[in-house]
Amino acid sequence: MTNCLLCQSSLRNTTSFDEIMSLAPTQARQLCEECAAKFFRLDSVATCDQCGRRLKAEMSNPCYDCERWQQQISFDFQNRALYEYNSAMKDYMKRYKFLGDYQLRFIFAKEVKKAVTRQKRLLVPIPVNAGTMATRGFNQVTGLLKGCSLVEALKTSQTVKDKRQSEKDRADRLRLIQPFELVEPQIERISGKNVTIIDDVYTTGTTIRHAASLLYQAGAASVIGITLAR
Amino acid sequence: MINHISDLYGRQISSAELPAAILELPEVKRRPAIQLKPSLMCSRCGSRLKRSQANLPNGQYYCYVCIQMKRMDTLHDLAFIDEPNQFNKVSNALSWEGQLTPLQAECAEQVVRIFKKRQHHLLWAVTGAGKTEMLFKGIEWAVRYGKRICIASPRVDVCIELFPRIQAAFAKTSIVLLHGKSDQPYKYSQITICTTHQLLRFYHAFDVLIIDEVDVFPFSGNPMLHFGVNNAIKTAGAMLYLTATPDKHLLTQVRKGHLSISYLPIRYHGHLLPEPTVIKIKGLSQGIDNNRLDKRILKMIRQLMSQQQRFLLFVPHIKDLATVATAIKDAGIIAKYDTVFAADPERLEKVGAMRHHELDFIITTTILERGVTFPGIDVLVLKADDDIFSAAALIQIAGRVGRSSDRPTGRVLFYAETRAANIRSCQRQIRKMNRKAAEI
Ligand SMILES: [Zn+2]
Ligand SMILES: [Zn+2]
Ligand SMILES: [Zn+2]
């Protein structure tokens, strides 16, 4: 007998006939119907081509934020997200990442794997810093990538964070406070390749674009992003 | 984050939460948060862990069972400091000036004896017996000898209601209230009032541990919380369980001689427990599903409103809250009311509004079945024959009524399609207690 990973209710009674007959999402086996219904999948709604957010009626495509990005960066970058960052996802992240409930990776791992392996691309996860690794004991991104072959080409930079972020415009910031470094021996594997960066949440898009710019520097032919949530 | 060394007295906290300055102090002891042998086990909650679920990268493990209370893992130790009982020995700490009835006074003396002899004891007292007041003498004795005292309950509402009463009775003693929804910071105090979950963060702390409403979820049948209790109490501490409806587990403990027992079958004001009236209504459940209430129920609600009689309206399921509220609204009944359930984010505010007479009634799940007292109220239970209402739950619900000496009686109305086993058992047990009370 298994229990819902989020609310512990028994999953024994929840496998309805409909569920068996339909193409139930992979998470159905980890979550009860009630918990599963609280997450919002982005694959069946209109989304921004550039960042993957759900487009509301009054929004253009690409969205306003992405238009600004296009003016500020000189490389191509598109992100796709599997789920909306709603309150259920926020709560999930709190438990998975901040409380550190590593088993909650199982809820989305299969879906993430399916999404990132659909095309033959090099998979580069966003790294966590050494301090986080020492207390949390895992990287929440690689946790979602069970069974995928990864190129860990990025590490967090040792250099101190820039103090006066607010005084710089976004392009400056992007250049100045690069939080990542390339991992030397991996650089040559990037050159000429199509790369997918994977992160847990796309918030402002700054982090993942920092990563993308480094990978272009290393000679990547194209770089896209896939995040669990946007 | 832990900032002062006293925050660790009698507690057990992951080294992840402790600044280096405290961790380096010589008093701080450490033990592994997760035991690897003979099998994988959490030191804090005692859960046996499955390796496939508990594993972290690089051969590390964590506990996924008690993780809501911050994570236990092999990356960190459990830090603790032996309880130093750093309290002033104060005589006459009790500032309460109320009177106990002779029966209550007898019980109160017994509580003192139990604490002195460090017994493990079950006090089976009917709803409205005045349990809290009967504890005062025992707590006063413990304060006089510099003991550390804890009153824990599985229900947060019970803790919140208890806190001001204990505070008023022991005005000069340090008291802290701990529960998951509290923003009051932890402070080393002689008296701790907390939910049973919070006990997981204590280690050999309490000389006296009182557990109120011990038979209720989530404590009943939860090995993690029982393990927490045994860790929180000192090896030779006194333990007092309180309830009006002991479960099988407790009665087994009594039978095996692990627990002594005493019984208080009469309410403090000397009146008997109100007996429920069962009103059978065909199609009650279906009606509620369709936002309809039988006219007998609506008539009763109108009557209560016109008499300005406040009440609690119990329903078995969360989904019934909205349908019943709609049915009342559609019937044109004008009243101030709200709905509440366990995970309701505004639960504490709504219960507060009822307490402060800002509501005429509240539609509730079993969450308000016990611990909370609204003087002079009536109760109505819809679908009393639903499995959700155990006999114990129905006894507790009926026990909300007639608690004040101003109005020692009141209505307890069970609306049901059939007189199911739970209802019959509830009625039988209430009559039995009333017979016992009449013998005194
Ligand atoms: Zn669930
Ligand atoms: Zn966009
Ligand atoms: Zn545990």
Side-chain angles (χ1 to χ4, degrees):
Chain A
M1 188 186 77
T2 49
N3 295 70
C4 170
L5 276 177
L6 290 181
C7 73
Q8 313 311 326
S9 70
S10 167
L11 292 179
R12 202 174 25 178
N13 314 322
T14 58
T15 320
S16 61
F17 181 73
D18 285 351
E19 222 178 314
I20 298 164
M21 297 312 287
S22 74
L23 295 166
T26 22
Q27 66 180 48
R29 262 161 273 156
Q30 309 290 343
L31 297 183
C32 71
E33 283 172 64
E34 244 173 87
C35 288
K38 290 179 185 156
F39 293 97
F40 187 86
R41 294 161 72 96
L42 290 170
D43 54 2
S44 55
V45 294
T47 55
C48 171
D49 293 339
Q50 306 274 310
C51 68
R53 73 147 49 118
R54 167 145 66 138
L55 287 177
K56 299 197 185 99
E58 73 279 7
M59 283 157 64
S60 58
N61 188 5
C63 71
Y64 173 74
D65 288 334
C66 290
E67 265 176 42
R68 283 180 60 198
W69 276 121
Q70 282 177 331
Q71 290 159 18
Q72 288 163 357
I73 60 171
S74 54
F75 53 84
D76 274 343
F77 182 77
Q78 291 192 336
N79 184 68
R80 192 162 78 80
L82 305 186
Y83 283 89
E84 185 166 66
Y85 190 64
N86 60 7
S87 65
M89 186 57 82
K90 200 170 166 182
D91 188 52
Y92 169 80
M93 285 298 169
K94 205 169 101 192
R95 290 173 60 178
Y96 173 51
K97 216 157 101 168
F98 298 112
L99 271 181
D101 203 351
Y102 190 51
Q103 64 167 340
L104 299 188
R105 70 194 186 282
F106 293 130
I107 294 172
F108 295 111
K110 279 182 188 156
E111 263 177 291
V112 172
K113 183 181 178 186
K114 211 170 131 197
V116 301
T117 54
R118 191 167 295 156
Q119 299 175 14
K120 283 262 171 292
R121 302 179 71 97
L122 222 56
L123 303 179
V124 177
I126 293 288
V128 297
N129 66 40
T132 302
M133 202 59 197
T135 46
R136 189 180 297 164
F138 63 92
N139 173 341
Q140 69 275 4
V141 181
T142 52
L144 295 169
L145 292 166
K146 187 172 179 273
C148 304
S149 90
L150 305 176
V151 179
E152 306 211 24
L154 299 171
K155 60 178 181 186
T156 57
S157 167
Q158 301 298 317
T159 49
V160 202
K161 281 184 185 162
D162 190 71
K163 324 106 226 172
R164 282 176 303 198
Q165 284 198 28
S166 54
E167 292 170 20
K168 314 276 195 281
D169 69 25
R170 288 172 86 186
D172 272 349
R173 240 189 291 157
L174 192 58
R175 229 178 9 255
L176 284 173
I177 50 154
Q178 174 59 261
F180 305 119
E181 288 170 18
L182 289 162
V183 178
E184 284 296 336
Q186 306 288 355
I187 295 179
E188 52 198 52
R189 297 179 62 184
I190 303 294
S191 179
K193 294 285 169 39
N194 296 316
V195 179
T196 301
I197 306 172
I198 301 113
D199 202 357
D200 50 354
V201 186
Y202 181 113
T203 311
T204 63
T206 311
T207 309
I208 203 163
R209 281 182 179 79
H210 275 302
S213 85
L214 268 187
L215 294 169
Y216 275 119
Q217 271 178 43
S222 75
V223 183
I224 62 165
I226 293 183
T227 59
L228 175 61
R230 164 69 172 103
Chain B
M1 206 44 153
I2 302 296
N3 294 311
H4 193 269
I5 177 172
S6 67
D7 293 352
L8 262 191
Y9 293 166
R11 299 231 294 162
Q12 48 177 1
I13 305 288
S14 166
S15 57
E17 288 185 63
L18 298 170
I22 286 186
L23 272 177
E24 284 155 12
L25 295 170
E27 305 88 311
V28 176
K29 298 179 181 175
R30 293 176 179 225
R31 58 201 184 97
I34 305 280
Q35 294 164 38
L36 298 171
K37 281 175 186 167
S39 62
L40 206 61
M41 191 181 99
C42 174
S43 306
R44 182 170 68 180
C45 75
S47 299
R48 292 280 159 88
L49 303 168
K50 281 192 200 138
R51 280 175 195 269
S52 60
Q53 264 176 289
N55 77 314
L56 290 169
N58 308 316
Q60 306 288 342
Y61 293 97
Y62 79 104
C63 175
Y64 47 84
V65 180
C66 65
I67 189 161
Q68 287 314 69
M69 310 288 298
K70 302 240 168 99
R71 196 176 75 179
M72 294 286 103
D73 55 46
T74 49
L75 297 157
H76 301 93
D77 284 332
L78 209 41
F80 62 99
I81 297 179
D82 292 334
E83 174 57 49
N85 285 70
Q86 262 179 25
F87 309 115
N88 295 327
K89 293 179 180 165
V90 178
S91 36
N92 306 319
L94 182 60
S95 38
W96 183 71
E97 286 172 344
Q99 279 287 320
L100 294 177
T101 65
L103 266 177
Q104 281 182 312
E106 210 177 284
C107 251
E109 286 305 329
Q110 189 185 28
V111 168
V112 177
R113 285 198 299 275
I114 288 158
F115 289 174
K116 278 186 184 165
K117 283 157 75 186
R118 298 164 176 176
Q119 260 170 277
H120 287 203
H121 185 88
L122 168 64
L123 175 55
W124 181 348
V126 290
T127 55
K131 281 179 298 184
T132 309
E133 289 76 13
M134 287 187 278
L135 299 176
F136 288 166
K137 281 207 102 168
I139 295 173
E140 184 186 31
W141 171 84
V143 171
R144 182 183 310 142
Y145 290 98
K147 309 276 184 200
R148 192 170 185 185
I149 305 134
C150 177
I151 310 175
S153 169
R155 290 280 168 95
V156 61
D157 310 81
V158 173
C159 297
I160 290 170
E161 183 162 302
L162 213 46
F163 181 60
R165 294 169 70 191
I166 301 292
Q167 231 177 1
F170 295 91
K172 285 169 282 181
T173 310
S174 57
I175 308 178
V176 69
L177 171 67
L178 306 173
H179 58 83
K181 291 171 182 150
S182 163
D183 33 28
Q184 190 186 356
Y186 177 80
K187 197 172 184 315
Y188 181 58
S189 306
Q190 188 157 12
I191 302 176
T192 302
I193 297 170
C194 67
T195 54
T196 42
H197 270 95
Q198 297 292 326
L199 291 176
L200 289 174
R201 290 166 75 84
F202 289 89
Y203 190 62
H204 299 177
F206 302 112
D207 303 280
V208 168
L209 178 50
I210 301 159
I211 304 192
D212 197 4
E213 307 290 357
V214 56
D215 59 303
V216 74
F217 178 84
F219 189 72
S220 175
N222 185 330
M224 164 175 107
L225 295 179
H226 286 270
F227 188 89
V229 164
N230 291 327
N231 255 346
I233 192 169
K234 280 188 186 169
T235 319
M239 179 100 83
L240 178 63
Y241 294 110
L242 301 171
T243 180
T245 47
D247 59 12
K248 275 205 189 98
H249 174 79
L250 280 169
L251 296 176
T252 308
Q253 297 292 310
V254 171
R255 220 170 21 249
K256 286 183 179 164
H258 302 319
L259 270 181
S260 50
I261 185 168
S262 59
Y263 192 76
L264 185 63
I266 194 156
R267 291 186 147 183
Y268 76 94
H269 53 43
H271 294 265
L272 300 182
L273 298 168
E275 290 190 23
T277 307
V278 182
I279 300 115
K280 282 205 255 181
I281 295 179
K282 278 208 184 77
L284 173 66
S285 186
Q286 205 184 6
I288 289 173
D289 289 344
N290 294 309
N291 299 339
R292 269 199 331 269
L293 285 179
D294 186 85
K295 56 182 184 301
R296 279 168 287 178
I297 301 171
L298 292 170
K299 189 178 162 202
M300 178 51 70
I301 294 176
R302 285 202 184 89
Q303 186 187 334
L304 291 166
M305 291 304 301
S306 69
Q307 294 171 351
Q308 297 187 337
Q309 173 58 47
R310 287 159 26 96
F311 60 98
L312 297 174
L313 182 54
F314 284 89
V315 297
H317 303 285
I318 291 174
K319 67 173 170 60
D320 303 323
L321 293 170
T323 54
V324 169
T326 308
I328 291 171
K329 192 173 117 243
D330 291 352
I333 293 172
I334 297 171
K336 286 173 286 175
Y337 57 95
D338 214 329
T339 62
V340 70
F341 58 100
D344 190 334
E346 292 168 60
R347 169 174 153 191
L348 302 184
E349 290 81 358
K350 289 173 175 177
V351 172
M354 185 68 191
R355 189 167 288 146
H356 299 126
H357 289 248
E358 288 154 22
L359 296 175
D360 300 317
F361 62 93
I362 196 158
I363 309 171
T364 176
T365 59
T366 55
I367 190 67
L368 294 186
E369 78 182 29
R370 62 173 85 205
V372 277
T373 301
F374 307 105
I377 56 155
D378 284 351
V379 299
L380 281 62
V381 183
L382 301 185
K383 297 202 259 179
D385 49 348
D386 194 290
D387 287 344
I388 286 277
F389 296 115
S390 62
L394 291 176
I395 292 168
Q396 292 284 355
I397 287 171
R400 299 307 94 206
V401 175
R403 293 171 76 110
S404 68
S405 44
D406 301 342
R407 189 173 182 264
T409 57
R411 293 179 190 82
V412 179
L413 305 175
F414 288 178
Y415 295 92
E417 295 185 32
T418 60
R419 193 184 295 264
N422 59 336
I423 297 177
R424 292 198 306 273
S425 168
C426 161
Q427 289 181 304
R428 211 165 36 235
Q429 292 187 56
I430 289 178
R431 275 189 215 119
K432 189 173 151 195
M433 286 180 232
N434 280 343
R435 267 201 309 278
K436 278 204 176 204
E439 285 164 14
I440 294 172

